[in-house]
Amino acid sequence: MPLLLGLCLSAWAAPSPRIAFRIPAQPLDEALLGFSQQSGLPLAAVGDLDRARRSPGVSGVMTVEAALERLLEGSGYAFSVESGVITVSPRTTASTDRPAPQPVALVAPTRTLAPLVVSARKRDERWVDVPMGLSVHDGERIETLGLQNVTDVLRLTPGVAAIDSGAAFTQVQIRGISSSLGGNDNGYYLDDIPFTGVTVPWHPDTRAFDLDRVEVLKGPQGTLFGEGSMGGTVRIMTRAPELDRFSAAVQAGVSSTEGGGEGGMGKAMANLPLVTDRLGLRLVATRETLAGWVDTPEGGRDVNPQRVSTRRARLRWSASDTWMTDFSHISSTTVAEGGGYAATDARQSGIYQDTRSRWRADSISSSLELPASHLLLALSDARLEYLMDGMITPTSTLLANLRIDVDSLELRWSSRGAGPWEWILGYSHRKARRRDALEVDGEPGASSQSNRADAVFGEATLTPAGSPWSVTAGLRYFTDEVDGQALALTRDTRLRTTFQRFTPRLSVTRRFSDQRIAYASVAGGFRSGQLQPADSLTAALAAGITLPATLPPDSLISYELGIKQITAGGRLLVQGAAFHTRWHDLPVRVPINGSYNGLINSRGAIVQGVELGLSYAPAAQLRLELGATWVDAYYAADVPGTPLRRGTQVYNVPRTSLAGTATYAWPVGRDLNLTAASRASYHSRRQTGLVEGVEGDAIMDVGLRLGLESPHGWSGYLYGDNLLDEAGAVDGRTPYGNATRLRPRTYGMEFHYRF
């Protein structure tokens, strides 16, 4: 269908600013729409673009002229300027003797959901072109909903069930893949910085301020993201410096928790263009006081307040239109003097400990655009320290100092274009070290483990010209050299071996249009083996229980059928998927006594389920989202010596999850907007806890946020969290009745100013 399209610049002769573009290969008309939205320039022009070759896309910081030249490369179209108007037209009409152009209609840039750009497969693509379950939360919406950390974001994601245990301890379950043991079972990245728990699957608490977006990739991601991404991968993308303008933002707020204390927060961001269009710095700092609300049976009140401080600095150097380098520093400190969010049904706890967490990471990411490909080098150095001093049961004490260091390097080379082949090749190296020093009831112990992991990987997609079908195949070869040692008073253990694995992926996609696909895929996941704690062996020997000194790796294979569609003029996004996973050698805990538990491999688990996600923007001021998940994850056989039987639900996995959000804005007076944002999430009871105990409860969490926003940069908000005052057990209760709880009903107010 003929499409009128064009671009208008009010002062073409003036030097054009350099803008950060992320426009993937796609139909030319949609690429130009993406250009309009990212550049802020209105569209208008002439030509039947339906017949044009797909645009090869643009990625990098460059002028609008350079971006247009790349978008139109090989399309048969060009742009010209007459009387301040840029006209996109077929090259055959670009000569000086061409007939007068058809009338041009100028259209302001529109906001739809269709041009959603992701980098889930480590290259920029449209969301609808990625053949996997993929949820994306943009930073603007995260701020509109008032979400405080990434766990809040994940609770609203179909297929995901995350737990914030407080004291900077977060667990993530994706599509029923959940374990309390081994390295991370789900990948977790902050920009290009990978985090791995090495011997326990926990993730640092990441605060949701000044984020660009959060991408959640569902299903095994072992081919591109490697060992540990068995259920999926969470990618948290921070906002990059803007090179052409100064900007800053501050936020301040206070809150009050029913039955608890008072909280407060202060956050600030500054974007500094040090050398216009070439060098920019973005600084972010936050400090939050989270009110305590857990009491002790002896009458102590609000013993679990927390203080969270974060710092971020990101320096971007754009040496040219094709070469860009980011230098980043991130740090986070959490102090929880009375422990986290574990409590009894009465919101009390006789088990409390002083917990302090420090996380910092430094990274360099440098990318180079070649004529038809893209080269990227990413290096990072991260460290997590976790200090605990207190109790692990009502009768046992724990003093522990845990430290995890992770150094990583990744080099990848990927295609950039609109041809029949798309591909990516890469090499990754990771060196992780964990050192523990602890005392349980006064008995000292120590352990250490180092992992040196190397991998080569590749993935290619073939889409024959004129065919609605495409095939993607990928493979990763992974090798992990493990050297671990655990020391106790009467028993030492040692693990020194090398684990190797090929991780495959294959998917077939049927494209019904540029807005709708269906796909089928099969993918594998893998996680290295681990060491049996020496104190567990000692306790098991005294109790007459036999435990292995080391545990072999676990792996899985997963099958998925899915659909994705953009409809209603780009205002409705729909995705659905059904999946089936066979998880082999899943490690589980064996209870020994009230203080210790040991580790063994079970015969695995079977996970199957369906999920549905909808995102709808019927009007510019209204947006609705809905997600639903049903997961049946159960152990495949009895596990001797444990309460686990064939059919027992996998640790910490709810069978049903629902989540929804709604935001609306309407004008008030001459230049004010009144905004409303609501969110609700539900998950059914988690039936299986850590070792022994009682199942958890079904949990309903509801929040509401009202705001008044001015175009002059200031805004104010009133909000309520956990409005139903949900007090149930989020996860399974321990034998002492403790379980993770939501913060009681909390009210607060915030003031924001941006300039």
Side-chain angles (χ1 to χ4, degrees), residues 449 482 484-485 493-497 499 529-533 537 547-553 599-601:
Q449 180 170 314
V482 181
Q485 182 175 250
T493 58
R494 183 83 186 213
L495 171 63
R496 181 178 290 174
T497 189
F499 300 105
Q530 60 185 307
L531 185 68
Q532 185 79 242
L537 284 174
L547 295 176
T550 61
L551 278 73
L599 317 178
I600 62 172
N601 286 89

Side-chain angles (χ1 to χ4, degrees), residues 237-289:
M237 319 300 287
T238 62
R239 283 182 177 147
E242 297 174 289
L243 305 183
D244 61 339
R245 71 196 69 184
F246 167 82
S247 63
V250 293
Q251 298 181 8
V254 295
S255 63
S256 177
T257 297
E258 290 188 3
E262 310 298 321
M265 69 86 173
K267 303 177 182 179
M269 178 279 294
N271 186 87
L272 309 173
L274 304 179
V275 178
T276 302
D277 292 342
R278 295 294 175 186
L279 188 68
L281 176 65
R282 195 175 189 95
L283 301 173
V284 175
T286 71
R287 183 173 180 83
E288 299 168 81
T289 299

Side-chain angles (χ1 to χ4, degrees), residues 137-220:
H137 305 269
D138 65 80
E140 182 179 345
R141 185 154 185 82
I142 290 171
E143 184 173 334
T144 298
L145 291 169
L147 306 180
Q148 296 301 307
N149 63 8
V150 170
T151 305
D152 289 345
V153 178
L154 297 179
R155 286 178 182 146
L156 300 175
T157 304
V160 181
I163 297 177
D164 179 4
S165 300
F169 191 92
T170 301
Q171 290 184 297
V172 178
Q173 300 92 40
I174 302 179
R175 287 188 173 175
I177 304 304
S178 172
S179 171
S180 65
L181 306 171
N184 286 1
D185 39 22
N186 296 291
Y188 194 88
Y189 284 72
L190 188 59
D191 293 324
D192 283 310
I193 303 171
F195 181 84
T196 175
V198 182
T199 58
V200 63
W202 89 61
H203 312 80
D205 176 18
T206 305
R207 312 308 291 178
F209 175 66
D210 201 52
L211 298 182
D212 181 65
R213 67 190 186 280
V214 175
E215 297 181 359
V216 184
L217 292 61
K218 287 167 276 190

Side-chain angles (χ1 to χ4, degrees), residues 377-712:
L377 174 65
L379 304 100
S380 67
D381 172 52
R383 174 185 297 174
L384 174 67
E385 294 180 280
Y386 211 73
L387 309 176
M388 294 176 286
D389 185 3
M391 308 169 67
I392 52 175
T393 74
T395 59
S396 297
T397 60
L398 171 68
L399 175 62
N401 186 338
L402 286 61
R403 174 171 164 173
I404 299 172
D405 295 270
V406 181
D407 301 325
S408 68
L409 174 150
E410 182 163 301
L411 177 65
R412 60 181 185 259
W413 183 32
S414 59
S415 62
R416 183 187 65 82
W421 283 99
E422 294 180 80
W423 48 266
I424 182 170
L425 298 172
Y427 163 76
S428 72
H429 168 80
R430 187 188 73 220
K431 187 173 183 180
R433 300 169 298 279
R434 174 168 174 169
R435 295 180 292 279
D436 296 356
L438 62 154
E439 291 184 10
V440 178
D441 295 333
E443 293 188 8
S447 65
S448 64
Q449 180 170 314
S450 65
N451 295 63
R452 177 187 170 122
D454 294 274
V456 291
F457 59 90
E459 187 173 277
T461 300
L462 172 62
T463 306
S467 172
W469 295 91
S470 62
V471 178
T472 299
L475 189 67
R476 187 184 192 100
Y477 172 69
F478 170 82
T479 177
D480 186 9
E481 299 178 8
V482 181
D483 187 357
Q485 182 175 250
L487 308 175
L489 287 177
T490 60
R491 186 75 179 267
D492 299 344
T493 58
R494 183 83 186 213
L495 171 63
R496 181 178 290 174
T497 189
T498 299
F499 300 105
Q500 297 176 324
R501 191 80 175 189
F502 283 98
T503 305
R505 182 178 189 89
L506 177 67
S507 66
V508 178
T509 303
R510 172 65 160 89
R511 185 176 305 279
F512 298 95
S513 70
D514 286 325
Q515 309 294 329
R516 178 161 62 100
I517 68 168
Y519 62 89
S521 68
V522 56
F526 171 76
R527 189 169 55 162
S528 293
Q530 60 185 307
L531 185 68
Q532 185 79 242
D535 51 4
S536 294
L537 284 174
T538 300
L541 182 63
I545 299 174
T546 301
L547 295 176
T550 61
L551 278 73
D554 56 315
S555 62
L556 57 75
I557 189 78
S558 184
Y559 306 88
E560 178 179 354
L561 295 173
I563 59 169
K564 302 175 81 169
Q565 181 169 351
I566 301 173
T567 187
R571 299 189 179 279
L572 176 62
L573 274 58
V574 182
Q575 63 175 328
F579 50 89
H580 177 89
T581 302
R582 183 64 170 90
W583 192 353
H584 302 278
D585 299 314
L586 166 60
V588 298
R589 296 181 184 265
V590 177
I592 299 174
N593 54 42
S595 301
Y596 293 95
N597 55 75
L599 317 178
I600 62 172
N601 286 89
S602 71
R603 294 182 59 183
I606 296 173
V607 183
Q608 53 198 357
V610 293
E611 66 186 36
L612 174 68
L614 305 173
S615 185
Y616 184 40
Q621 70 275 22
L622 175 64
R623 183 165 170 183
L624 308 170
E625 292 182 335
L626 177 66
T629 310
W630 176 83
V631 177
D632 185 21
Y634 59 90
Y635 294 100
D638 294 354
V639 184
T642 77
L644 306 178
R645 298 290 178 263
R646 186 180 189 278
T648 300
Q649 292 295 296
V650 169
Y651 165 75
N652 255 345
V653 177
R655 190 182 293 267
T656 304
S657 299
L658 299 169
T661 68
T663 57
Y664 188 73
W666 58 96
V668 178
R670 297 183 57 184
D671 58 356
L672 291 178
N673 278 337
L674 183 63
T675 65
S678 62
R679 55 181 172 81
S681 62
Y682 164 86
H683 69 71
S684 60
R685 56 193 173 92
R686 290 174 163 94
Q687 298 182 29
T688 308
L690 188 61
V691 182
E692 297 176 296
V694 181
E695 63 191 17
D697 298 317
I699 300 294
M700 173 67 81
D701 182 21
V702 176
L704 178 64
R705 183 179 178 89
L706 301 175
L708 198 61
E709 300 176 346
S710 165
H712 304 296

